[in-house]
Amino acid sequence: MPKSIKKEINRENLLNQGVTTLMGQGYHGTGLQEILDAVNIPKGSFYNYFGSKENFGAEVIQHYIDPFITQLAAHLQQSETDALSAIQLYFTELIAELEKNQFKGGCLLGNLMGEIGDTSEVCQKSLQSAVNRYRNLLQSGLAKAQQQGTVRLDKSAEDMADLLLNSWQGALLRMKIEKSSAPVKQCCNQLLGEFFRA
Amino acid sequence: MPKSIKKEINRENLLNQGVTTLMGQGYHGTGLQEILDAVNIPKGSFYNYFGSKENFGAEVIQHYIDPFITQLAAHLQQSETDALSAIQLYFTELIAELEKNQFKGGCLLGNLMGEIGDTSEVCQKSLQSAVNRYRNLLQSGLAKAQQQGTVRLDKSAEDMADLLLNSWQGALLRMKIEKSSAPVKQCCNQLLGEFFRA
DNA sequence: CAAAACAAGACAACCGGTCGTATTATTTGC
DNA sequence: GCAAATAATACGACCGGTTGTCTTGTTTTG
């Protein structure tokens, strides 16, 4: 097996484990050794793949959000369901996943925004990019729903996307400390079920 | 000076410094020594005042939220202004303070919910209590505004308080990474200025 | 064989927490 | 009301362990 491929596998494993561990214990609460042990990669190698813990964190952020964007985009492209229903279904699936994890972790973006969003410039940039990518997709979904007549037209899709995203982040925090999916369900019902409706 | 008084002063100083430092660097990002040096209190004393870093964190949380509750309650008791205006004024003041800090820190409750809200049971309990105290006050303010006819009656004050608090927390996270007060202003305008209005 | 990629482990700094001792307060005995 | 005894607090050196990073030697690659 060529080394260049092994390198990519190692990088991928580190990023996957980074998502899991940073989600569970936060940035400063996680030591590199813990991640390295989990995927059996020696410490010395780490700095060949990533220049620093901070750079690693920035890459983990992007690696984390990718699947969410893919999943939401897939729902929005389903031509047989309207956009609002697609978004609702997407969030229903997220809630099911959160319940499966017993409300631990929440959203890595939200957690890291709070912990290091204003102290690590590198991670801040990465968080900006990740949040914007997600927000823009949500916005385009809401705009599509507006065209389909299921979402009100007197508010901009941009404003609604921001409100939905912010409320969702806040609800995730509440979920974590209340160990209940009630906050996130309430959030979706209030916005997607009522406020945004045409 | 009796020792019992000095002890209370030291505790107070530690809690104040704890709020500042934990706000800026998070829980795991802050070492006890850093706090102790800032208020010139030896390490050994710390463990006479607080049993552990975790217990200290739980006390810092309560110490942090107290002034916010006092401030909001004071606004709500001003008899010459209606409740909705009082709430709006309160948030306007918060935004001014955030701008003064150049969008660093945000809300200690939100930051700690994300970082340790699901890993430290002691802090989780404290966060629950702090958030609930704050939420209940907001709810009573919104209920008062409903009685005064400025806020819609077809949604419960409880639901609106939750939505406002969650959106505010999310907007604070966005503020931190975007280094702009636009998200928090947008949040207040959307909810207090539009959605909640009678 | 030169250059690049990798891995082992050293490194100093720092972590939260403990411990014995010194100092000070408070209670007790008379 | 003073002194002795007891309790409470102050203090910082110190503990074992871990941190992120770097140096250095080895292995692999084209």
Side-chain angles (χ1 to χ4, degrees):
Chain A
M1 180 158 67
K3 263 298 167 54
S4 62
I5 292 196
K6 184 180 177 195
K7 167 169 181 173
E8 284 312 309
I9 291 179
N10 278 350
R11 270 184 65 96
E12 183 82 4
N13 285 342
L14 280 170
L15 287 173
N16 285 335
Q17 188 61 42
V19 167
T20 304
T21 313
L22 289 184
M23 178 93 103
Q25 310 172 220
Y27 182 81
H28 289 297
T30 299
L32 289 180
Q33 196 61 59
E34 191 173 352
I35 297 174
L36 295 164
D37 288 347
V39 292
N40 254 56
I41 292 175
K43 198 169 197 175
S45 301
F46 177 86
Y47 282 83
N48 293 317
Y49 302 142
F50 307 93
S52 67
K53 185 188 184 185
E54 199 181 2
N55 286 342
F56 176 67
E59 287 207 42
V60 166
I61 288 164
Q62 298 298 323
H63 191 75
Y64 168 79
I65 199 62
D66 281 342
F68 289 92
I69 288 177
T70 303
Q71 188 182 349
L72 175 54
H75 277 99
L76 286 171
Q77 280 168 3
Q78 295 268 342
S79 50
E80 65 258 25
T81 57
D82 65 295
L84 180 57
S85 299
I87 295 173
Q88 282 185 302
L89 178 58
Y90 166 74
F91 277 102
T92 303
E93 290 175 0
L94 289 190
I95 292 172
E97 185 70 16
L98 293 166
E99 287 174 339
K100 213 175 68 183
N101 297 335
Q102 292 195 274
F103 322 115
K104 288 205 186 304
C107 174
L108 183 64
L109 298 192
N111 298 347
L112 292 189
M113 280 192 278
E115 188 184 353
I116 54 170
D118 54 355
T119 53
S120 160
E121 198 172 332
V122 181
C123 291
Q124 183 180 83
K125 291 265 172 57
S126 183
L127 286 165
Q128 281 172 15
S129 150
V131 169
N132 274 335
R133 285 204 288 145
Y134 196 53
R135 201 276 311 266
N136 290 342
L137 182 58
L138 221 43
Q139 176 182 339
S140 77
L142 287 169
K144 188 175 165 190
Q146 282 179 319
Q147 288 171 2
Q148 293 167 340
T150 55
V151 161
R152 62 197 291 176
L153 295 164
D154 63 328
K155 308 223 175 284
S156 73
E158 184 178 355
D159 278 352
M160 287 189 286
D162 281 328
L163 182 59
L164 176 56
L165 205 124
N166 291 346
S167 305
W168 176 255
Q169 288 297 330
L172 283 172
L173 297 179
R174 303 280 298 275
M175 175 199 76
K176 285 182 74 163
I177 66 165
E178 293 174 18
K179 290 179 285 195
S180 155
S181 57
V184 287
K185 284 178 177 171
Q186 179 196 31
C187 168
C188 288
N189 289 338
Q190 281 183 117
L191 297 181
L192 297 174
E194 297 180 32
F195 186 41
F196 290 174
R197 282 224 124 86
Chain B
M1 179 160 65
K3 269 295 170 56
S4 61
I5 293 195
K6 186 180 177 194
K7 168 171 179 173
E8 284 312 309
I9 291 178
N10 278 349
R11 271 183 64 97
E12 183 82 4
N13 285 343
L14 281 169
L15 288 173
N16 285 335
Q17 188 62 43
V19 166
T20 304
T21 314
L22 288 184
M23 180 93 103
Q25 311 172 221
Y27 182 82
H28 290 296
T30 300
L32 289 181
Q33 198 60 57
E34 190 173 353
I35 297 175
L36 294 165
D37 288 347
V39 291
N40 255 51
I41 291 175
K43 189 99 156 262
S45 301
F46 176 86
Y47 282 86
N48 285 330
Y49 304 146
F50 308 93
S52 67
K53 185 188 185 186
E54 201 181 1
N55 287 341
F56 176 67
E59 286 208 43
V60 166
I61 288 164
Q62 298 298 322
H63 191 77
Y64 167 79
I65 199 62
D66 281 343
F68 290 93
I69 288 176
T70 303
Q71 188 181 350
L72 176 53
H75 277 98
L76 287 172
Q77 279 168 5
Q78 295 268 342
S79 50
E80 64 256 28
T81 56
D82 65 294
L84 181 56
S85 299
I87 296 174
Q88 283 185 302
L89 179 59
Y90 166 74
F91 277 102
T92 304
E93 291 175 359
L94 289 190
I95 292 172
E97 183 71 18
L98 292 166
E99 287 174 340
K100 213 177 68 183
N101 297 334
Q102 291 195 274
F103 321 115
K104 289 207 186 300
C107 174
L108 183 64
L109 298 193
N111 297 348
L112 292 189
M113 281 194 276
E115 187 183 354
I116 54 171
D118 54 355
T119 54
S120 159
E121 199 172 330
V122 180
C123 292
Q124 183 180 82
K125 292 264 170 61
S126 183
L127 286 165
Q128 282 171 16
S129 151
V131 169
N132 274 334
R133 285 204 289 145
Y134 197 53
R135 202 274 313 264
N136 290 342
L137 181 59
L138 221 43
Q139 177 181 338
S140 78
L142 287 169
K144 188 175 167 190
Q146 282 179 318
Q147 287 171 3
Q148 292 167 340
T150 55
V151 161
R152 62 197 292 176
L153 296 164
D154 64 327
K155 308 223 175 284
S156 74
E158 184 178 354
D159 278 354
M160 287 188 288
D162 281 328
L163 182 59
L164 177 56
L165 205 124
N166 291 346
S167 304
W168 175 255
Q169 287 298 329
L172 283 172
L173 297 179
R174 302 280 297 277
M175 174 199 76
K176 286 182 75 164
I177 65 164
E178 293 174 19
K179 291 180 284 194
S180 156
S181 57
V184 286
K185 284 179 176 170
Q186 178 195 34
C187 169
C188 288
N189 289 339
Q190 281 183 116
L191 296 181
L192 297 173
E194 297 181 32
F195 185 41
F196 290 175
R197 281 224 126 85

